[in-house]
Amino acid sequence: MKTKHLFCIIMYSAVLPVSAEINRRSKFDYYLGQLSYPVYLVHVLVVQTCAFFLTDLDSVQYKIISTAIVLILSSLLLHFYLNPIEKYRRKFAQILK
């Protein structure tokens, strides 16, 4: 293994715990983590629908529009469907204790 590669591995190992601790308190990072599951749920549907309807756009425009739609729909899904279910689930879990 080259010295440069070893140095990079050591630096990455040293910086990772500090970075994780800083990002743990970030509301933006927490929101991105919460958004990951809704993105997973809607991305294929949105990409395929955009591919069907947006045939006259170039690749960059298509990617920007489909990404924006995925993020908007995922955010709506999170706030109006998944978060209320999670609140209900927590309330129900407290009743069962």
Side-chain angles (χ1 to χ4, degrees):
M1 186 179 289
K2 294 184 179 182
T3 306
K4 185 183 350 179
H5 293 239
L6 183 61
F7 176 75
C8 289
I9 291 172
I10 291 170
M11 289 304 296
Y12 181 76
S13 300
V15 170
L16 187 63
V18 174
S19 174
E21 181 60 29
I22 291 170
N23 289 336
R24 183 178 66 85
R25 293 184 227 136
S26 169
K27 289 182 180 183
F28 179 72
D29 283 342
Y30 178 77
Y31 184 73
L32 283 181
Q34 292 295 310
L35 204 59
S36 64
Y37 183 62
V39 166
Y40 167 74
L41 291 176
V42 302
H43 80 279
V44 172
L45 176 66
V46 170
V47 168
Q48 293 298 323
T49 304
C50 286
F52 183 75
F53 287 108
L54 304 177
T55 56
D56 57 340
L57 298 178
D58 67 2
S59 178
V60 175
Q61 291 173 328
Y62 169 77
K63 289 175 184 175
I64 291 171
I65 291 172
S66 61
T67 301
I69 293 171
V70 165
L71 292 176
I72 291 168
L73 286 178
S74 298
S75 184
L76 291 172
L77 182 65
L78 177 67
H79 290 291
F80 295 113
Y81 186 73
L82 296 174
N83 283 346
I85 288 174
E86 180 64 21
K87 286 179 186 177
Y88 177 76
R89 187 193 65 79
R90 287 183 183 177
K91 184 188 293 186
F92 191 68
Q94 290 294 327
I95 293 172
L96 293 178
K97 280 186 176 182

